[in-house]
Amino acid sequence: MSGFDVAFGWAWLIPTLTAVAFVIVGVGGRRMARLEWGGWVAVAFSFAAMVVGILVAIGEMLAPGSYTDSSVTWISIPGSPGTFPNGVQLDIGILVDPISALMLLVVTVVGFLVLLYSIEYMHHDSGLARYYAELSLFLTAMTGLVLSDNLLEFFLFWELVGVCSYFLIGFYYEKPSAASAAKEAFLVTRVGDVLFLLGIFIYFAVYATSGSAPGWAAGGFKFTNGSAPFLAGAMGGNTPLLTVAGLMMLGGAAGKSAQFPLHVWLPDAMEGPTTVSALIHAATMVAAGVYLLAVVSLFLGFTPTDQLAIVAVGGFTTFFAATMAVVNPDIKRVIAYSTISQLGYMVFAVGAGFTMVGLYHLFTHAFFKALLFLAAGSVIHAVGTQDLFKMGGLRKTMPLTAAAFAIGALSLSGFPGSSGFFSKDDILGSVYATLGTHPQYWPFFLLALLTVFLTAYYIFRAWFLAFGGDGPRDATLPHAHEPGWTMRLPLVVLSALAIGAGALVFDPAFASLLPGIGVPPTFRGADLALSAVSVGLVACGFGLAYSFWGGGRVFELSESTWAARVRALLLHRYYFKAGYDWIGLRATYTVARAADFVERYVIDGTVRGFERLFAGLSDGLRRVQTGVVSDYAAYVVGGLVGFLLLLVFLAPWLLQTVGGG
Amino acid sequence: MSAFSPAGLLALSGALLSIGLFGILTRRNFILLLISIEIAINAAVLNFVYFAAFAGATGGLTGQAIAVVVIGLAATEVAVGLAIVLALNRLRGSINVAEAATLKF
């Protein structure tokens, strides 16, 4: 064993360190007037977490396998013979395995860089204690999620990252659009969360009662640890119930990873600070859905029906989101759509059975997408607008940012040699190789391939609009300048990673973080032709973007053409948001009105009717209270006479019936 | 030992009760009302006494005892009733019960 496996015992430190930062900054941050130190506390703790994360990852590279650490029994249910033979034990524990080490690397490295970047980027904002505390809490939740050793614990941290996302999207809560975007994100992902929870229930019912499952500890609702951690390509039982459970997991992942049809929240989440978009809504949290699918595919397996559904959702989302990025005028939203599209690639790969390839793309995507967002943040910080059509010529005043954005764009589009090239072509090549046995993947493969062209087009359109040309189209923009070192350093580091992270997998030690991915990851014989096609598509996209937008040109669409109508459709996001608003406002409101009618007039009406009936009766009855003594005497006499008459007429019948005398 | 037939005695107490009830229902003068009540009560007392005598030694003195108690109660009731009459007369200057009808709906 290497000396680094001691780091596995420290894995719990990673979430704990950032949790400590959360408490310090959250409780103490408000006491200082300027709050600068709060940011540095968060940066320092996240740096420490990053160091531990890197050590854990190195340990995994040198000695791949699964390691359990500090598992605490949470709930223990004794077994009962017959229905529940083995009992079940729910733990809160830490499981370090190759893929969680990979995720730790991504989360802690990007987290540290984004926090460092925030120092200058957020300098002018108020509420910084809240900002740094929430980002630290997010890091705790995200690292806790990847270290979870069972699905229930996974779900707890999953909800925690969701609530952090809500807080941070709504960071500028005094802005109505930000507040409503936060609400939207929370509600839409909630749909997925409920499905996820239902899926957990099914798995629990199936595996906790039968007591054994592939990849699960016997008698425990817990991922296996120890000798045989991975079931590469293992399929779970192929029962309808497990198919439903798999679809529920897909629903949960679709909510968190903004896959069709739950994609609407992610573009609106750009209302949060750009740093938050970079860390949470590009590199890490939205990848949690993909990670969930990966974990389920490794430990439980999907049925063939599930796989087709996942491939369909991923492949379609890839294309669908990319089309909306093509026309958007907002620099952050273009990147947001690209995030949805790239997450679609990952889901697509995991669904087709190439879990490690999907995670490989997750890894490279985290760096180049964080780079794109931070470069965009640098631009927004300098010029104070997100509108691409107001920018222009920024490569002259911000050469470093322009270069960083260009590197991110090249990597995103899959320029040969960049990290995105390796991972994306690995996805396309891997799926292409299965098309012979799975012809039903063809349409989604073609959509994914076509997206390569769209990706190159939209991202270079953004680059040309922001950085190309002679100067800003809007003369009122402030004079741009490069930011300080705390913003430049993350850009430089991420640029290096965006270029080099893909090639890391050629190193067998690093590749052990992605067991079974194979080295080298791409150019597997027949893939060469496919890679050539893909590179050709990138070149076409780049060329089209240059001819429309290069050199300061602005491509004008004449109105009333079909193209303009398509653009309007895309700008309205295929009316999905309007449709959901319609469901939320009109449909729900109509149902609520109907329910209100029933409540008001049927249920309350019955109650009020009885009330009115008895009120009327008693109003009539009280007239007998005349106050005249003789009248009362008359009632008494009348009652007496009536009673006597009753006795006279009823007595024989009573005696007969009761059977007395 | 009886000089009256049972039917005649029961008819007498029934007649007394009816006269009393008639007075209660028709009189508006408080004093006449009280007298009517006395007549009705005495119909009941008469019944007790008669049935006690009819039962002879088997019934003991229960009927007579109740008759005496009821007479005592009737005297008390009249005392209270006359007190109310005096108070009513002092308050309203009239002992017509139909006029003292403020306690109503």
Side-chain angles (χ1 to χ4, degrees):
Chain A
M1 298 300 267
S2 66
F4 279 99
D5 42 354
V6 67
F8 300 136
W10 303 340
W12 63 273
L13 270 173
I14 300 170
T16 311
L17 279 168
T18 47
V20 168
F22 163 66
V23 172
I24 293 177
V25 180
V27 172
R30 301 176 66 128
R31 293 181 201 283
M32 294 291 284
R34 282 301 298 142
L35 305 162
E36 287 295 330
W37 67 273
W40 287 109
V41 167
V43 168
F45 276 90
S46 72
F47 180 76
M50 178 178 79
V51 170
V52 180
I54 290 173
L55 290 178
V56 169
I58 292 174
E60 271 293 343
M61 287 183 212
L62 297 178
S66 292
Y67 302 90
T68 319
D69 178 37
S70 51
S71 176
V72 180
T73 302
W74 181 22
I75 301 169
S76 184
I77 307 166
S80 65
T83 53
F84 203 62
N86 300 298
V88 74
Q89 185 177 319
L90 294 177
D91 290 352
I92 297 288
I94 285 179
L95 178 71
V96 181
D97 58 22
I99 58 169
S100 64
L102 182 83
M103 289 294 288
L104 280 181
L105 206 55
V106 170
V107 174
T108 55
V109 169
V110 179
F112 165 69
L113 291 173
V114 165
L115 277 169
L116 183 63
Y117 181 97
S118 302
I119 296 284
E120 185 182 344
Y121 185 78
M122 298 296 287
H123 181 73
H124 300 293
D125 284 288
S126 55
L128 286 182
R130 190 157 50 88
Y131 173 81
Y132 287 111
E134 283 164 4
L135 267 189
S136 298
L137 179 64
F138 166 76
L139 286 176
T140 300
M142 192 68 204
T143 50
L145 183 146
V146 300
L147 287 169
S148 295
D149 76 347
N150 64 67
L151 270 185
L152 201 64
E153 187 186 348
F154 194 107
F155 182 76
L156 294 182
F157 285 112
W158 172 278
E159 290 293 313
L160 203 53
V161 294
V163 80
C164 290
S165 161
Y166 167 77
F167 287 147
L168 287 163
I169 295 169
F171 179 72
Y172 302 116
Y173 58 86
E174 68 280 3
K175 231 169 83 184
S177 60
S180 88
K183 233 179 331 188
E184 181 191 9
F186 198 72
L187 289 175
V188 173
T189 52
R190 184 66 12 156
V191 175
D193 294 350
V194 170
L195 296 178
F196 180 16
L197 198 55
L198 288 175
I200 294 178
F201 292 160
I202 297 177
Y203 283 132
F204 186 87
V206 171
Y207 290 135
T209 52
S210 73
S212 68
W216 289 62
F221 190 66
K222 188 170 177 174
F223 304 136
T224 312
N225 53 75
S227 54
F230 287 104
L231 303 159
M235 288 296 112
N238 188 10
T239 67
L241 194 59
L242 288 177
T243 303
V244 171
L247 291 177
M248 295 290 148
M249 292 293 154
L250 171 61
K256 204 59 118 196
S257 288
Q259 297 296 291
F260 177 86
L262 300 178
H263 61 277
V264 289
W265 67 272
L266 189 56
D268 291 327
M270 297 300 121
E271 290 289 344
T274 310
T275 45
V276 170
S277 307
L279 177 61
I280 299 183
H281 304 116
T284 57
M285 186 199 82
V286 289
V290 177
Y291 184 70
L292 169 68
L293 290 178
V295 164
V296 173
S297 79
L298 290 173
F299 289 104
L300 294 163
F302 286 114
T303 66
T305 317
D306 289 338
Q307 284 194 293
L308 181 60
I310 297 168
V311 164
V313 167
F316 179 70
T317 307
T318 301
F319 177 76
F320 178 73
T323 56
M324 290 187 280
V326 162
V327 295
N328 208 288
D330 183 319
I331 187 168
K332 279 183 77 180
R333 287 187 184 234
V334 168
I335 310 176
Y337 284 119
S338 131
T339 303
I340 302 177
S341 174
Q342 297 299 308
L343 290 165
Y345 272 120
M346 301 171 205
V347 171
F348 177 63
V350 173
F354 301 101
T355 307
M356 290 306 159
V357 179
L359 289 177
Y360 178 32
H361 195 54
L362 190 165
F363 176 72
T364 58
H365 170 259
F367 297 121
F368 65 70
K369 190 52 61 68
L371 173 65
L372 281 171
F373 264 117
L374 293 189
S378 176
V379 168
I380 295 164
H381 191 64
V383 300
T385 178
Q386 303 185 7
D387 190 342
L388 283 167
F389 289 96
K390 289 183 181 171
M391 302 170 187
L394 290 173
R395 74 180 183 286
K396 292 174 180 163
T397 44
M398 308 176 74
L400 181 88
T401 306
F405 198 98
I407 289 169
L410 287 171
S411 191
L412 170 69
S413 57
F415 188 77
S418 64
S419 61
F421 167 71
F422 291 118
S423 54
K424 186 154 71 180
D425 271 22
D426 201 9
I427 290 175
L428 292 173
S430 303
V431 178
Y432 183 70
T434 64
L435 288 174
T437 48
H438 295 86
Q440 66 271 36
Y441 296 167
W442 259 112
F444 308 108
F445 173 76
L446 289 178
L447 284 178
L449 193 61
L450 190 54
T451 308
V452 174
F453 164 75
L454 289 177
T455 308
Y457 171 75
Y458 70 66
I459 199 66
F460 284 109
R461 164 183 174 270
W463 193 90
F464 285 127
L465 277 171
F467 299 101
D470 297 325
R473 287 176 204 79
D474 183 346
T476 61
L477 288 187
H479 184 70
H481 56 88
E482 285 285 5
W485 75 269
T486 56
M487 282 170 73
R488 284 204 303 262
L489 179 66
L491 288 179
V492 171
V493 174
L494 285 170
S495 295
L497 286 167
I499 297 170
L504 277 179
V505 88
F506 286 98
D507 173 36
F510 183 83
S512 61
L513 290 183
L514 294 160
I517 190 162
V519 180
T522 189
F523 300 127
R524 290 181 187 144
D527 294 354
L528 268 173
L530 183 68
S531 283
V533 170
S534 152
V535 171
L537 286 171
V538 172
C540 289
F542 179 84
L544 193 66
Y546 182 78
S547 66
F548 281 175
W549 313 96
R553 282 189 291 274
V554 173
F555 176 67
E556 297 284 355
L557 266 182
S558 58
E559 297 300 323
S560 84
T561 60
W562 64 269
R565 279 202 292 276
V566 169
R567 184 176 65 173
L569 175 71
L570 294 175
L571 279 177
H572 284 101
R573 316 192 203 170
Y574 296 99
Y575 296 97
F576 257 87
K577 193 164 157 56
Y580 286 146
D581 281 353
W582 186 87
I583 291 172
L585 292 174
R586 292 279 165 278
T588 313
Y589 196 62
T590 308
V591 173
R593 286 276 289 265
D596 177 65
F597 179 84
V598 171
E599 167 72 25
R600 220 182 269 264
Y601 295 103
V602 179
I603 298 174
D604 279 10
T606 311
V607 173
R608 293 227 180 88
F610 273 104
E611 174 213 305
R612 237 173 255 139
L613 176 71
F614 287 110
L617 281 178
S618 57
D619 197 51
L621 202 59
R622 77 194 176 108
R623 307 266 158 210
V624 304
Q625 303 278 353
T626 56
V628 179
V629 178
S630 313
D631 292 347
Y632 298 141
Y635 304 149
V636 173
V637 172
L640 183 69
V641 170
F643 179 71
L644 284 175
L645 287 175
L646 209 62
L647 204 62
V648 169
F649 287 112
L650 277 186
W653 177 79
L654 268 178
L655 288 175
Q656 259 182 356
T657 322
V658 181
Chain B
M1 67 173 262
S2 170
F4 299 98
S5 66
L9 263 172
L10 287 177
L12 176 63
S13 53
L16 279 175
L17 182 72
S18 302
I19 290 164
L21 286 180
F22 178 78
I24 290 168
L25 293 179
T26 53
R27 295 299 98 183
R28 291 287 181 269
N29 186 312
F30 207 143
I31 292 177
L32 292 181
L33 214 56
L34 284 176
I35 291 171
S36 306
I37 293 169
E38 285 307 311
I39 293 170
I41 289 174
N42 279 313
V45 171
L46 198 59
N47 264 12
F48 276 115
V49 173
Y50 168 68
F51 282 112
F54 185 76
T58 51
L61 288 172
T62 315
Q64 285 88 340
I66 291 177
V68 172
V69 169
V70 172
I71 288 166
L73 279 176
T76 326
E77 179 240 311
V78 168
V80 174
L82 285 174
I84 293 174
V85 170
L86 283 176
L88 191 65
N89 189 44
R90 204 172 295 156
L91 190 68
R92 312 184 67 100
S94 151
I95 54 170
N96 187 337
V97 290
E99 285 173 20
T102 48
L103 189 67
K104 63 176 188 178
F105 59 86

